[in-house]
Amino acid sequence: MLKRYFPILEWLPVYDRQTLSSDLIAALIVTLMVIPQALAYALLAGLPAIVGLYASILPLFAYAVFGTSRTLAIGPMALVSLMTGAALIEVAAPGSTVYLEAAITLAFLTGVILTLMGLFRLGFFANFLSHPVVSGLLSASGVLIAASQLAGLAGLDASGFTLITQLSNLFSHLDGIHWPTLAIGLVSVTLLQLFRRSRPRLKSWGMNARYADFLVKLGPLFVVALTTAICWAANLPAFGVAVVGEVPSHLPPLGVPSSDLGVWRDLLVPALLIGIVGFIESVALAQMLAARRRQRISPDQELIGLGVSNIASAVSSGLPVVGSLSRTVVNFDAGAQTPAAGAFAAIGVAFVTLYLTPLIRFLPIATLAAIIIVSALTLIDIKTLKRTWRYSYGDAAAMLATIALTLVQGVEAGVIAGVGLSVGLYLYRTSRPHSALVGRVPGTEHFRNIQRHQVESSERVALLRIDESLYFANARYLEDTVYGLVAEHPEVDHMVLICSAVNLIDASALESLEAINLRLKDSQVTLHLAEVKGPVMDRLKHSDFLQHLTGQVFLSTYAAWSGLRHGHSPSSGSRDQGRTPAKKDAG
């Protein structure tokens, strides 16, 4: 039981020197990478840069204790930072004490919600966002994030959390472009892109692939060091170039959430949305990497791990945190073996926070904006949109609607729309279940759609295969399908519902089956069931439907075909396929 809630007890007892060495190397690489990202993502949320470092210390220790992924790297993430800023701007003014308190409150609320979801095993809620909708949300968020940093890249004072607002504010301030700042920003973007595209060239020069990837990942750190050095040497702040400025050199102070109940109420829905989006992205990434090493993660325990990590972030004056895509991939590629690698990275970040913050005093804001822009552009996935459009117009329409709403109304509206569209598409598809009249493939016991295959069929026996579970949304559709079939084929004496794909029959669907049974009885058509699964049969036994059924429950479609096509019931020798015993044994 303890290992279930404290996964650290699984790997800590077998922790050895070789694992320690691998984790330390991975931690060093992640530490170098996390510093510029944490600073940038805090600014993206409208918070002081140091808050990003605060959110990269204690949460990593918490996840090492409660998380199940061996390689997931916890910390600030671009999309969540954008959602955080959009939520906070509604309750407080950026730069105020209330704004920081609201950020702490948001992290705390997110943590509590995720932890409770984990304790109640509600990880399945992640399934309410389909992959096309998530892809659309990420693509639109990438555009929003990049657009939100154009003002910082050019030294303008313009902001917004929808694309229309961002572009409107940007164009209205174009006459205030600060050219030295823009030059630094463009140089930073150019260098970051060159680093990203240098991997093939480095490999062509004979460099080991692992070392080439390592150098590419350190690109942001190099750009930060270069532009900071230039800014310091040329004293660019004196010429109006915005920099990070003085950063406190101490460990995170105790975070105190807001005492205003109105703030808690206003942040409740954003906290839920941040938690769901963060959980979906984190678990999908963790599962993908765990599969490569033949490991497993527990989605419900991941909810607890992420929840406690967010509570830890709130306690240490941080912002909401999730699993970071870029840092997790680097952590995995660097050879991290256990969550201890994250804890060691947290120690590295704490060391930087204590002793090296004076070095980032002259770090240009434009450089951090460039890092965010280049990172955000990787979220835009045009290929998935094209592929989805070719495969399914419905999914593509949901994806496009999510993108449009996210760009026009903001990330929160996009998430809500994504959930609504995902659930709506599911309900629409399952409310009109595919069904097919089937016939026997000659010389076999296999049955296939009569419209797709050359099969044997009987005018007196209709074999209708239902390819969906039966529940309230499609119960009436099933009735209409059966009645329509009987009306089109007045010669039918027996209707067999083949339930091989039916995993559930809820109360509404049961009432529909009872109505079908009575209606067919009035039409002198006998209703039968075939291939009813065990769990479904168990539930039917708790009703009186089987007692009122005019026909039989057959173990297989072939048994129904053999017994009914000549217009007589099965012989006593095959009675175990028939009505009374089948009610006990079918499925």
Side-chain angles (χ1 to χ4, degrees):
M1 178 62 74
L2 281 177
K3 289 183 179 180
R4 173 184 165 189
Y5 292 105
F6 297 92
I8 189 175
L9 299 178
E10 290 278 355
W11 55 266
L12 189 59
V14 294
Y15 202 77
D16 54 25
R17 184 175 299 178
Q18 182 177 357
T19 306
L20 173 64
S21 175
S22 299
D23 284 346
L24 285 174
I25 294 173
L28 175 62
I29 296 173
V30 171
T31 300
L32 296 175
M33 181 181 182
V34 74
I35 294 169
Q37 284 191 350
L39 296 170
Y41 294 157
L43 293 178
L44 177 59
L47 294 163
I50 190 64
V51 173
L53 296 181
Y54 291 164
S56 303
I57 301 176
L58 193 58
L60 279 68
F61 286 107
Y63 186 81
V65 176
F66 295 96
T68 60
S69 171
R70 300 296 181 97
T71 54
L72 192 67
I74 298 297
M77 197 257 282
L79 174 56
V80 170
S81 293
L82 181 68
M83 296 177 69
T84 297
L88 299 182
I89 198 69
E90 298 295 327
V91 299
S96 65
T97 303
V98 177
Y99 193 90
L100 180 57
E101 288 180 352
I104 295 171
T105 305
L106 183 60
F108 184 79
L109 271 173
T110 302
V112 171
I113 290 172
L114 288 173
T115 302
L116 289 176
M117 289 178 66
L119 292 174
F120 287 101
R121 300 188 180 186
L122 300 179
F124 66 88
F125 272 116
N127 298 328
F128 287 167
L129 273 175
S130 66
H131 177 73
V133 165
V134 172
S135 179
L137 178 65
L138 290 176
S139 295
S141 298
V143 174
L144 280 181
I145 292 168
S148 70
Q149 297 305 300
L150 293 177
L153 198 73
L156 300 175
D157 184 17
S159 60
F161 293 96
T162 67
L163 187 62
I164 295 175
T165 304
Q166 291 169 351
L167 295 181
S168 175
N169 291 339
L170 183 64
F171 286 124
S172 65
H173 290 79
L174 283 180
D175 56 345
I177 290 178
H178 191 259
W179 296 105
T181 299
L182 180 61
I184 292 176
L186 293 178
V187 167
S188 299
V189 170
T190 302
L191 290 175
L192 290 168
Q193 290 286 25
L194 287 175
F195 267 98
R196 284 183 175 272
R197 297 177 181 178
S198 64
R199 183 185 288 107
R201 180 168 296 180
L202 291 174
K203 292 180 181 179
S204 67
W205 291 345
M207 181 176 289
N208 180 277
R210 186 173 180 178
Y211 291 125
D213 291 338
F214 174 64
L215 289 178
V216 171
K217 297 298 183 183
L218 290 184
L221 188 66
F222 171 80
V223 174
V224 165
L226 177 64
T227 55
T228 301
I230 293 174
C231 198
W232 169 76
N235 194 23
L236 292 182
F239 297 93
V241 174
V243 296
V244 171
E246 293 289 346
V247 178
S249 297
H250 56 68
L251 292 177
L254 179 65
V256 180
S258 173
S259 58
D260 186 348
L261 293 180
V263 172
W264 288 70
R265 183 184 62 252
D266 293 339
L267 294 178
L268 184 60
V269 172
L272 176 62
L273 297 178
I274 288 173
I276 291 175
V277 171
F279 170 66
I280 291 172
E281 286 300 299
S282 300
V283 168
L285 180 60
Q287 286 177 331
M288 178 187 69
L289 296 180
R292 293 186 184 180
R293 294 183 178 177
R294 298 188 178 183
Q295 298 170 347
R296 293 183 60 190
I297 70 165
S298 167
D300 291 325
Q301 183 59 33
E302 281 300 292
L303 280 167
I304 296 176
L306 291 172
V308 176
S309 297
N310 275 279
I311 293 173
S313 184
V315 169
S316 55
S317 300
L319 69 159
V321 295
V322 295
S324 167
L325 173 62
S326 56
R327 292 194 295 276
T328 297
V329 172
V330 170
N331 197 37
F332 179 88
D333 291 341
Q337 299 298 313
T338 71
F344 293 142
I347 294 174
V349 175
F351 177 82
V352 171
T353 304
L354 276 173
Y355 301 109
L356 302 182
T357 50
L359 296 180
I360 61 176
R361 175 183 177 184
F362 287 92
L363 171 59
I365 299 296
T367 298
L368 296 178
I371 292 173
I372 294 174
I373 289 173
V374 173
S375 176
L377 291 177
T378 62
L379 297 175
I380 302 174
D381 190 356
I382 302 299
K383 291 182 179 178
T384 297
L385 177 58
K386 292 180 178 178
R387 184 169 61 249
T388 303
W389 183 262
R390 288 196 303 267
Y391 184 76
S392 170
Y393 290 142
D395 285 329
M399 188 176 181
L400 288 172
T402 302
I403 291 174
L405 281 170
T406 302
L407 294 177
V408 175
Q409 295 294 329
V411 177
E412 286 187 15
V415 174
I416 294 173
V419 173
L421 289 169
S422 297
V423 174
L425 277 175
Y426 171 78
L427 291 175
Y428 174 76
R429 288 166 178 165
T430 57
S431 68
R432 302 172 62 85
H434 178 268
S435 60
L437 276 176
V438 300
R440 186 174 77 117
V441 178
T444 72
E445 295 185 8
H446 299 290
F447 292 79
R448 294 293 183 269
N449 191 333
I450 63 174
Q451 296 181 354
R452 293 177 178 269
H453 301 273
Q454 295 294 328
V455 294
E456 298 176 353
S457 60
S458 171
E459 293 183 351
R460 302 181 66 252
V461 181
L463 303 174
L464 181 64
R465 191 187 69 221
I466 309 299
D467 296 333
E468 183 65 66
S469 292
L470 301 177
Y471 71 117
F472 67 91
N474 60 26
R476 186 57 58 85
Y477 185 79
L478 174 65
E479 291 185 47
D480 295 340
T481 300
V482 172
Y483 299 154
L485 186 60
V486 172
E488 293 173 5
H489 301 83
E491 70 279 3
V492 167
D493 294 326
H494 298 278
M495 170 67 67
V496 182
L497 298 183
I498 303 171
C499 303
S500 54
V502 177
N503 298 312
L504 168 72
I505 298 178
D506 73 357
S508 298
L510 179 61
E511 289 186 6
S512 289
L513 287 177
E514 291 172 343
I516 290 172
N517 185 52
L518 292 175
R519 180 78 172 269
L520 293 184
K521 182 179 179 181
D522 293 338
S523 302
Q524 297 183 338
V525 177
T526 305
L527 177 65
H528 308 270
L529 303 181
E531 301 189 28
V532 181
K533 293 185 175 180
V536 177
M537 194 68 179
D538 291 340
R539 298 192 64 173
L540 289 178
K541 290 176 181 178
H542 290 292
S543 72
D544 57 2
F545 172 72
L546 295 176
Q547 281 70 42
H548 297 158
L549 183 64
T550 57
Q552 307 175 49
V553 179
F554 292 94
L555 191 62
S556 67
T557 305
Y558 182 73
W561 163 264
S562 301
L564 300 175
R565 64 173 174 157
H566 297 304
H568 59 79
S569 299
S571 65
S572 58
S574 61
R575 188 64 175 170
D576 61 325
Q577 301 288 341
R579 182 176 177 181
T580 304
K583 288 178 184 176
K584 299 178 182 178
D585 303 326

